Amino acid sequence: MKHLTYCLFFLYLVSCQSAKKDLPPPNILWITSEDNSPFAGCYGDTFATTPNMDALAASGFLYTHAYANAPVCAPTRNTILTGVYANSGGHQHMRSYNDKSEVVGFYPRMLREAGYYCTNNSKEDYNINPEQNAHIWDESSRTAHYRNRPEGKPFFAVFNSTISHESSIHKSIPSEELRHKPEDVTLPPYHPDTPEMRHDWAQYYDKIEDMDQVIGELLQELEESGEAENTIVFYYGDHGGVLARSKRYVYESGTRVPFIVRIPEKYKHLYPAEKPGSEVDRLISFVDLVPTLLSLTGQEIPEYLQGNAFLGEQKTDDPEYAFMFRGRMDERYDMSRSARDSKYRYIRNYMPYRVYGQFLEYLWRAPSIRSWEAAYQAGECNEVQSRFWNTKPAEELYDTENDPWEVNNLAADPQYAEVLERMRSATRDWMLEINDTGFIPEAELIDRTAETTAYDYMRTSGIDLNELVDGANLASNPRKGDIPFLQEMLASEEPAIRYWGATGLLILGTEAKEAEEALRTALADASPNVKVVAAEAMYRLGNTEQGLQALYEVLETPNSFARTHALNAIDCIEDSASSTQQAVLDMIGRVGEFNRSHYDLRAAKGLLTKWGVDPQDHGYDMDW
């Protein structure tokens, strides 16, 4: 009897393998939306109106721990396109347009080589030199569609909805026209209860409902095409959002996304759980998408890819962590790295001397954040709501199961010391493993990679990333006793080490008085990034004229990102002297061309607005 059982089981396995071999390659449909967290009924949000998303989850598999690797679109899309973390390739800064390494490929080309017809409708925004991503799709346009494929070809098609994008709350809809009522909104604990905040939340939920309707239309179109039974459907949001402290921030609210996969019954050998309608708690992030696509379509996964396949024949064991990063957001510099396990989130802030709520022209278009700032300035915010307007701790640790809005930082709690050390070490190991380019300031990195790419530079130049990471960790959380080490860093031959040495002294503030001479020397540093940080440190030590003069000099450099860095410092020291205003106006005159993608000009415009200076009075039309 036992022998017969083994024989029957063997025959079953053989028949299953044979059935799989006989199956045609699946079509793959990606439906993506912008700037939305898992605000959906299928994720337990009773305020949301998402019948189509809920129905898709009921017939598919809902991933409960899915993450964007960056909390903003362009670096996220770069990671999705390449299967390499954007901060590994040098693409972590928002709309930086740097060259991509030839080592790194694009998944549409891989799929086309495997015989797929690949379309994108229609957003790209890949954060690389646009010349490099030309012709990677069979069609990328507002009319691109799988129906245009040659007969007999499997398709891979992306449809991207912009309805829930941040811009959807910039212009307020009258409250009486909203379907979700402001008075019914449950606010996060970090948001003050202002009319504008309630209104923007309610309007945003209306936009989520509108976006859900698009999902339904695309799924209905697939049914009518007759291809639903042959097509694996993915739906996901491109990162979290959208009200302040979500998009752009490496919290759950900025990085956790809705993610649903529906797999036809004929491909049930690919199911990630026993049956449709199940939840899947595996940690996944967007860096996993390329290896997963290759696994689903039976292709070999290149060794350089940095994610893990979570479906298909090459599916890996569940990872312990998902990792995230933050770089420059438009015209404002900040730097954070984050790790998420099944319960905790760890964040390392490398620029803790900057407040969370740095002014961003685009973010400030929303009435909600302007009302939050006004409430804070009027003393109407409690301690939790006030933190956004203050400087950051170097480390943050949150129990996301018991603190889903991440307001109780456990990093200093001795009871969580073991968790803190484990996740701190995991984050460091990840940064070293991927050759994180973020420890070299952006302007410096651009100058160094004029004849190469950041990805290749980190792997061929011999730069000691261990030393850089250790220096940054020391500098971002310094003690007065560290001043000798920081001065030694400031004297290093490596400009990036000097940058971190100056950063540590800036953070120490008046406690760094004994290092004043070393900082004075750094005001003449050949690296503009070092010069900017040393200038801000000197200004705060009372050497205002020397600090300002060094910043004015950086405004004259040809590197626009060095100029942006200097303008950030000028804003944060809150110097509005007539000489400073003139230096900013002179910089605008030298740049000559006005374009919103020039972040030095955006930073300059923000400063002039803050000072009450109209650029048009000086002959500059900057009304973008």
Side-chain angles (χ1 to χ4, degrees), residues 210-340:
D210 294 341
M211 178 271 292
D212 180 80
Q213 184 176 342
V214 171
I215 294 176
E217 291 168 356
L218 290 167
L219 293 175
Q220 181 62 32
E221 186 176 56
L222 181 66
E223 289 288 341
E224 293 171 355
S225 74
E227 290 293 342
E229 64 179 17
N230 305 314
T231 304
I232 298 174
V233 176
F234 286 68
Y235 162 69
Y236 61 86
D238 70 344
H239 53 76
V242 65
L243 278 76
R245 196 192 178 268
S246 56
K247 181 178 179 179
R248 303 182 182 89
Y249 296 89
V250 286
Y251 292 118
E252 291 286 287
S253 57
T255 60
R256 185 172 175 237
V257 295
F259 197 105
I260 303 167
V261 181
R262 189 180 74 185
I263 301 173
E265 187 175 1
K266 68 164 58 175
Y267 299 105
K268 64 183 179 181
H269 63 280
L270 299 172
Y271 285 0
E274 183 179 354
K275 60 183 180 180
S278 299
E279 293 185 355
V280 182
D281 62 4
R282 174 182 172 125
L283 280 165
I284 65 171
S285 65
F286 288 159
V287 74
D288 300 327
L289 285 171
V290 175
T292 298
L293 284 176
L294 298 180
S295 178
L296 286 172
T297 56
Q299 298 181 72
E300 183 178 350
I301 297 175
E303 289 187 6
Y304 74 83
L305 292 178
Q306 295 172 347
N308 300 289
F310 56 85
L311 291 169
E313 299 294 335
Q314 300 174 76
K315 177 182 176 181
T316 71
D317 293 337
D318 292 3
E320 187 174 1
Y321 302 101
F323 296 101
M324 291 133 239
F325 57 88
R326 169 185 168 134
R328 174 179 51 75
M329 297 292 172
D330 295 343
E331 71 269 29
R332 289 290 182 171
Y333 279 100
D334 207 340
M335 178 179 173
S336 299
R337 299 292 182 264
S338 180
R340 176 67 159 84

Side-chain angles (χ1 to χ4, degrees), residues 585 588 594 605 608-609 612-624:
L585 289 166
I588 294 171
F594 303 112
K605 182 182 178 183
L608 295 175
T609 300
V613 176
D614 188 343
Q616 290 189 343
D617 292 343
H618 299 269
Y620 305 128
D621 182 5
M622 301 175 74
D623 186 22
W624 309 310

Side-chain angles (χ1 to χ4, degrees), residues 423-439:
M423 299 193 75
R424 176 194 292 150
S425 297
T427 303
R428 184 182 189 279
D429 291 346
W430 164 68
M431 295 185 300
L432 294 174
E433 180 183 352
I434 67 165
N435 287 283
D436 194 322
T437 62
F439 291 88

Side-chain angles (χ1 to χ4, degrees), residues 128-179:
I128 57 173
N129 181 346
E131 294 178 3
Q132 290 188 298
N133 64 23
H135 312 301
I136 65 173
W137 299 95
D138 285 297
E139 185 177 358
S140 180
S141 71
R142 292 187 176 183
T143 60
H145 204 288
Y146 55 82
R147 70 165 74 96
N148 301 327
R149 71 192 186 282
E151 186 176 351
K153 267 204 167 192
F155 67 78
F156 174 87
V158 178
F159 290 88
N160 181 77
S161 169
T162 62
I163 290 174
S164 57
H165 186 267
E166 177 180 15
S167 56
S168 68
I169 62 169
H170 287 170
K171 184 177 180 180
S172 292
I173 298 170
S175 293
E176 60 271 17
E177 297 178 18
L178 295 175
R179 300 183 297 276

Side-chain angles (χ1 to χ4, degrees), residues 42 169 398 409 414 456 475 487 489 583 586 623:
C42 54
I169 62 169
Y398 299 100
N409 184 7
D456 295 321
Q487 288 183 289
M489 290 169 64
D586 289 345
D623 186 22

Side-chain angles (χ1 to χ4, degrees), residues 555-556 563 567 581-594 600-601 604-605 608 615 618-622:
L555 293 182
E556 297 178 3
R563 299 195 298 266
L567 290 163
Q581 294 184 17
Q582 190 59 53
V584 172
L585 289 166
D586 289 345
M587 186 211 78
I588 294 171
R590 283 190 296 272
V591 172
E593 179 185 354
F594 303 112
D600 54 343
L601 293 181
K605 182 182 178 183
L608 295 175
H618 299 269
Y620 305 128
D621 182 5
M622 301 175 74

Side-chain angles (χ1 to χ4, degrees), residues 487 490 505 512-525 531 534-535 537-538 541-544 546-547 550:
Q487 288 183 289
L490 200 53
L505 295 172
K513 186 72 174 176
E514 65 188 81
E516 190 172 315
E517 284 306 311
L519 286 167
R520 182 172 288 109
T521 300
L523 295 179
D525 200 284
K531 196 168 183 172
M538 285 290 281
L541 284 171
N543 300 284
T544 56
Q546 290 175 298

Side-chain angles (χ1 to χ4, degrees), residues 88-89 100-103 452-461:
S88 179
K100 173 193 69 67
S101 170
E102 291 300 317
V103 173
T452 184
T453 68
Y455 181 94
D456 295 321
Y457 175 82
M458 296 300 293
R459 289 157 177 79
T460 60
S461 66

